[in-house]
Amino acid sequence: RQARGYARPLLLLRRNMAPAKKIQKKKVVKKFAIDCSQPVDDGIMDAASFEKFLLDKIKVNGKVGNLADLVTVSRDKAKVIVSAETDFSKRYLKYLSKKYLKKQQLRDWLHVIANKKDSYELRYYNIHDNEADEDED
């Protein structure tokens, strides 16, 4: 005995439907840049060591050193460029940059600022503005 006769029409509809098409995802390459020109010009930071740090620390699918062809890290003078063919967040790059600055004991003088949609910049803190405000008080 069938429950109210709904099963049979659904089966007939399923047979007459076209087969589902597989959707292929396009390869999306995300490119991010970190501009280190200010600290590199002053000689307090080395862009090559920062590039190596990123190569060593970036995780892909939960594993360190699993970059393969999915993530590439390159350097153009004082600019470090990270391009990824997989899901990669800009925020993760900021996290790693701050971790590098902490390791090099530069976190007290430099901070990571987003200057464009797809890039960060390492800048000095504006200490001069704070001193001018204190003098006025």
Side-chain angles (χ1 to χ4, degrees):
R1 203 171 180 201
Q2 289 182 347
R4 299 191 186 184
Y6 291 120
R8 183 160 292 200
L10 289 176
L11 288 175
L12 292 174
L13 283 175
R14 185 70 189 150
R15 272 190 240 151
N16 295 336
M17 288 174 50
K21 294 181 181 177
K22 292 184 180 179
I23 300 172
Q24 292 182 349
K25 290 185 179 179
K26 296 178 184 176
K27 282 191 177 180
V28 178
V29 177
K30 295 182 180 180
K31 249 184 163 178
F32 300 108
I34 303 173
D35 185 15
C36 315
S37 56
Q38 286 183 354
V40 169
D41 291 344
D42 292 343
I44 65 167
M45 187 181 134
D46 184 26
S49 68
F50 182 49
E51 178 187 15
K52 185 180 182 326
F53 177 84
L54 290 176
L55 280 170
D56 294 341
K57 296 289 183 177
I58 289 178
K59 286 185 178 182
V60 177
N61 297 330
K63 295 179 184 175
V64 176
N66 190 21
L67 297 180
D69 295 331
L70 297 175
V71 178
T72 57
V73 180
S74 60
R75 181 171 38 100
D76 180 31
K77 295 182 182 175
K79 213 176 218 186
V80 178
I81 299 163
V82 179
S83 56
E85 293 179 12
T86 183
D87 291 336
F88 196 83
S89 72
K90 184 180 167 190
R91 187 74 180 89
Y92 180 56
L93 212 53
K94 182 174 184 176
Y95 162 76
L96 288 174
S97 302
K98 290 166 83 172
K99 194 171 183 175
Y100 174 79
L101 291 175
K102 185 70 174 174
K103 184 179 176 187
Q104 300 295 321
Q105 298 175 347
L106 297 172
R107 190 84 174 88
D108 294 335
W109 294 281
L110 295 170
H111 59 148
V112 185
I113 294 182
N115 57 350
K116 294 179 189 167
K117 186 181 177 193
D118 61 347
S119 70
Y120 282 116
E121 183 179 1
L122 298 182
R123 286 192 197 161
Y124 291 103
Y125 285 109
N126 289 335
I127 299 171
H128 303 294
D129 295 340
N130 294 340
E131 290 176 0
D133 291 342
E134 291 173 5
D135 293 341
E136 290 175 2
D137 292 338

